[in-house]
Amino acid sequence: MKKGKMKLLAVIGVILLAAIYYYVALPAINIHSTDFWMFLIVLIIVIALIYVRRKKLNRYELKESKGLKVIGGLLIIVIAAYLIGSLLSSPIVNAKKYQKLLTVKDGEFTKDIEELSFDQIPLLDRDSAAILGNRKMGSMVDMVSQFEVDELYSQINFQNQPVRVSPLKYANLIKWLTNMKDGIPAYIKIDMATQNTELVKLKEGMKYTTSDHLNRNIYRHLRFKYPTYIFNDLSFEIDDEGVPYWICPVKKFNIGLFGGTTIGRVVLCNAVTGETTDYKVEDAPEWIDRAYSADLLVELYDYYGSLKHGYFNSILGQKDCLKTTTGYNYLAIDDDVWVYTGVTSVSGDQSNVGFVLMNQRTMETKFYEVEGATEDSAMSSAEGQVQNLKYVATFPLLLNISGEPTYFIALKDDAGLVKKYAMVNVQKYQIVAIGDTVSACEEAYTKLMYDNGIKEVEKDTREIETMKAKITKIAQGVIEGNSHYYIMMEGSDDIFDVSVVDFIDIIKYDVGDEVTIEYKKGEESNTVLSLNGKEKSGTVSSEENNEEEAAQ
């Protein structure tokens, strides 16, 4: 009877320890999960220790115990299965399969990446967004003592604007105990273009967050609902109505036990109510922006670029091996968020062979063959223009400026605040423009492209026309600091633009005076090229042309 009670207590003890470990570590009950195999190994070791203690085996009896041999054999089998499974899942024996995990198409830069208006360009990186978020939180006197801003700052498209969102979190264990009933009352939303920072208060607080310590912790909540799912990195997003959700991608293993990770499903969890909806990744709602993490997409492209001729070539010969550069950024295209990163050769030279865009919702990937400077080189070029100010460049954003692939870089001071902006031509990274505003930077950059022959002034093919008539109306205006007279003439409804700088005699004329002009038609007004035989500087009259031809 006593032995029976001891066995029962031993079994209860093992179950209790296993339950505590499961509650804390939250391993997925799935043979594809490394944590599950670790759980099995730890569990077998615990059983062995309890067996030795219950049997009171000395060191001589340990070798002869049949029960311990069975437990030891089981442990060896589990460890061997894990190690063999790891090897058979690795790129060493599956290079071709890894290389084909990602489908890459060639893209057309000017077609796929449209020119963005300034209110759609994300000017802030994550660190700058965090500074703004913390400042906003510091101004909320009623909340700052109880809550902090979470470090997530997910970048999403919200109503066609690039924004970063992050929930609040309980400041500490005591604050969790006092506020857990009502939940977390708000989240931070930062417009990446305008830098407008908003603390969005909710009618009902978020109960399911990363900072809860018991069953409403989002990871524990998901594990109990989906015990076999292996989740990738979670992200915090809001739907089109501003309702907060956790986007929870589920890993799919395509090669062996542990290899070839992509995403197979996506679970959406309402952060307020805890309600979950499970989708196949291809059926997930279009408003979500992040099913595939940037790190996962970069890893998949590195497999694609480096394993074309097998695993050992990627280590030794490295023929035709490509890899992504040292960082990445995000582009908003057609209401999706795309990861941008450069592509360079494995040999590590200072130039890119092109760049890739990878859709975080669909995994669609496009490669653009644009040779040019690496992002690090462009950042160094931008910092060199303001080296006296010691500003630090953020990782570039790739933009289409007048059809030219262009690195857009924010320059920050020691406090992490954006002070200036830079545009660096991807193919000719010595062409660098700096401006206090985005518009000023773009204006300087456009001028540099004209000066360096990257852009050419379009040839004016409009015909020169002549008109002689009386002035019926005359008005004065100023364009970019220069005075212009706008006149209308008898027999025409057109408006004629006369620059005072070029034709000072225009101030002598009034309504009723007869003038002869040469002009070119425009959309809103016609541009006057000569007034009563006197021409604008830089043009040649027909009479002077005839005189030159006669002299020849």
Side-chain angles (χ1 to χ4, degrees), residues 1-11 54-55:
M1 190 74 175
K2 189 175 181 181
K3 287 184 179 181
K5 286 183 178 179
M6 292 294 292
K7 286 182 179 180
L8 181 60
L9 288 173
V11 171
R54 189 176 66 83
K55 292 290 187 178

Side-chain angles (χ1 to χ4, degrees), residues 77-89:
I77 290 171
V78 170
I79 293 174
Y82 174 73
L83 294 176
I84 293 170
S86 298
L87 176 63
L88 296 179
S89 305

Side-chain angles (χ1 to χ4, degrees), residues 464 502-503 520 529 535-541 544:
I464 297 177
D502 297 318
F503 307 107
K520 285 186 176 181
L529 303 177
E535 298 198 352
K536 179 180 177 180
S537 175
T539 63
V540 180
S541 70
E544 289 174 339

Side-chain angles (χ1 to χ4, degrees), residues 291-335:
Y292 294 84
S293 69
D295 290 333
L296 176 58
L297 291 172
V298 167
E299 180 184 71
L300 290 173
Y301 189 84
D302 283 340
Y303 288 141
Y304 172 85
S306 63
L307 297 176
K308 292 178 182 177
H309 302 298
Y311 177 78
F312 291 104
N313 176 70
S314 70
I315 302 298
L316 302 174
Q318 298 185 331
K319 178 185 176 183
D320 298 331
C321 287
L322 301 174
K323 65 176 182 178
T324 54
T325 48
T326 55
Y328 52 78
N329 214 324
Y330 302 94
L331 275 178
I333 304 174
D334 297 332
D335 202 32

Side-chain angles (χ1 to χ4, degrees), residues 341-355:
T341 185
V343 177
T344 187
S345 64
V346 171
S347 58
D349 55 23
Q350 293 302 305
S351 62
N352 284 350
V353 299
F355 60 88

